[in-house]
Amino acid sequence: EAGVTQFPSHSVIEKGQTVTLRCDPISGHDNLYWYRRVMGKEIKFLLHFVKESKQDESGMPNNRFLAERTGGTYSTLKVQPAELEDSGVYFCASSRLNTEAFFGQGTRLTVV
Amino acid sequence: GEDVEQSLFLSVREGDSSVINCTYTDSSSTYLYWYKQEPGAGLQLLTYIFSNMDMKQDQRLTVLLNKKDKHLSLRIADTQTGDSAIYFCAESSTGGSYIPTFGRGTSLIVHP
């Protein structure tokens, strides 16, 4: 069984540009989560999908971040326009209902 | 203050035991977790403990929970260089969502 896959693994963009991160959850996992870790800080929850619906998006920093999960399969997280403080590692995780969440390897985003 | 706190660095000699400590604030925490992140890899769930347990042992890993003091520890016996990684403490007070809240992570450095 394939694990949670995130793409790209690294991204370096200039301030003001747009970046789209992708997460492919484990097949059959209805729950999909996005987290972010800014350098040296804790891993912070961003949002939670159940299938294609946003269950909880209380952790989204601001309206420059847009997450989608059309069809309830893979998810994208778009940052537009990117700012320097958006740099960090973005983790995606998926789970079945009420079970352990499996994490992807993360996307390291650097905004310069 | 932060919901989950842990020290940032721990350095041990190969073969010694490592003890990574964590404190949390949510008294309704149901699950306490330890995740490991090796360089360039995703988050791997190492072990978890239910809040009604005091201790859990799994091979070289021992988790101790002091619910009264809201203190969690991870002991790694016979620490090896391959144990060098960042260890994240996390808790979830479920409500059915199982979304963990993470600490900043403790960088474990194992030297010969």
Side-chain angles (χ1 to χ4, degrees):
Chain A
E1 180 182 78
V4 176
T5 307
Q6 293 187 243
F7 182 83
S9 56
H10 294 86
S11 180
V12 181
I13 62 170
E14 292 184 350
K15 177 183 170 182
Q17 288 186 320
T18 298
V19 63
T20 300
L21 314 180
R22 173 170 169 146
C23 169
D24 285 77
I26 294 172
S27 177
H29 283 194
D30 287 341
N31 292 294
L32 188 148
Y33 314 88
W34 282 100
Y35 283 81
R36 175 175 74 170
R37 185 183 189 222
V38 173
M39 180 68 74
K41 302 281 190 181
E42 66 273 22
I43 299 172
K44 282 205 156 183
F45 167 79
L46 296 179
L47 89 159
H48 170 210
F49 283 99
V50 177
K51 296 185 181 178
E52 67 275 8
S53 299
K54 290 177 186 173
Q55 184 79 6
D56 181 354
E57 51 184 328
S58 60
M60 294 288 265
N62 51 61
N63 59 10
R64 295 185 293 103
F65 289 75
L66 176 64
E68 294 180 319
R69 193 183 181 195
T70 307
T73 55
Y74 70 90
S75 175
T76 58
L77 179 64
K78 183 162 75 172
V79 186
Q80 178 184 30
E83 298 289 345
L84 298 179
E85 65 264 24
D86 301 332
S87 296
V89 180
Y90 290 77
F91 291 102
C92 175
S94 73
S95 73
R96 297 186 190 278
L97 181 64
N98 293 345
T99 61
E100 171 196 348
F102 293 86
F103 282 79
Q105 82 281 9
T107 294
R108 182 174 296 278
L109 174 65
T110 304
V111 183
V112 297
Chain B
E2 294 175 3
D3 296 328
V4 179
E5 292 195 13
Q6 49 185 132
S7 54
L8 295 183
F9 297 99
L10 176 65
S11 177
V12 300
R13 193 184 304 273
E14 189 174 16
D16 287 350
S17 292
S18 308
V19 179
I20 303 173
N21 294 300
C22 168
T23 57
Y24 59 97
T25 59
D26 191 342
S27 58
S28 65
S29 294
T30 306
Y31 293 89
L32 290 305
Y33 310 87
W34 284 104
Y35 284 83
K36 177 183 180 182
Q37 185 188 17
E38 296 183 47
L43 288 170
Q44 173 197 359
L45 178 63
L46 267 185
T47 185
Y48 65 93
I49 189 170
F50 296 106
S51 60
N52 62 357
M53 297 169 63
D54 298 324
M55 185 182 86
K56 181 178 181 181
Q57 186 153 5
D58 182 4
Q59 299 182 333
R60 292 190 297 121
L61 305 179
T62 303
V63 179
L64 294 178
L65 174 61
N66 181 329
K67 194 174 180 181
K68 173 176 169 289
D69 294 339
K70 300 189 189 70
H71 182 268
L72 182 76
S73 69
L74 173 69
R75 178 177 181 270
I76 305 172
D78 186 26
T79 312
Q80 302 298 307
T81 54
D83 295 324
S84 294
I86 303 175
Y87 291 80
F88 291 92
C89 173
E91 63 85 19
S92 67
S93 46
T94 58
S97 65
Y98 290 77
I99 298 175
T101 299
F102 288 86
R104 292 189 176 195
T106 299
S107 291
L108 175 64
I109 301 164
V110 183
H111 54 90

